Amino acid sequence: LVIRHRDDLTSCLVIFNGWNEIRADFLRKLDEAGVVCVPLIIGTGARPDNVPGHWLDAANLATELRRLPTRLTRTI
């Protein structure tokens, strides 16, 4: 659905539970369409190689969320 409406988007905050090639392909398609994406990826353990965006360790999620850049967390 997001890919179908990508022409209406300029940016997208994407939250994934885990990481795999299907999710990587989804981000590639949005990038190719000119959509600026900020991926938040919730996983376990250390950040794997070649994972874009912000890796959030599920075991320490509250701490990880507090570490995000303020441009992502400030309220208007």
Side-chain angles (χ1 to χ4, degrees):
L1 183 62
V2 174
I3 296 296
R4 227 180 351 197
H5 294 279
R6 67 186 173 263
D7 292 337
D8 297 327
L9 300 172
T10 56
S11 63
C12 189
L13 176 64
V14 183
I15 302 172
F16 291 125
N17 184 16
W19 184 248
N20 60 27
E21 189 56 37
I22 293 169
R23 292 175 175 120
D25 186 52
F26 174 75
L27 285 180
R28 272 192 297 276
K29 287 178 182 176
L30 288 176
D31 183 59
E32 289 168 1
V35 178
V36 176
C37 291
V38 177
L40 303 179
I41 303 160
I42 302 169
T44 55
R47 177 191 188 107
D49 293 335
N50 301 319
V51 172
H54 303 277
W55 178 261
L56 307 173
D57 183 10
N60 301 304
L61 193 54
T63 301
E64 298 283 354
L65 288 169
R66 283 191 295 272
R67 291 181 184 164
L68 287 173
T70 55
R71 64 185 169 82
L72 295 178
T73 60
R74 73 177 143 211
T75 58
I76 298 173

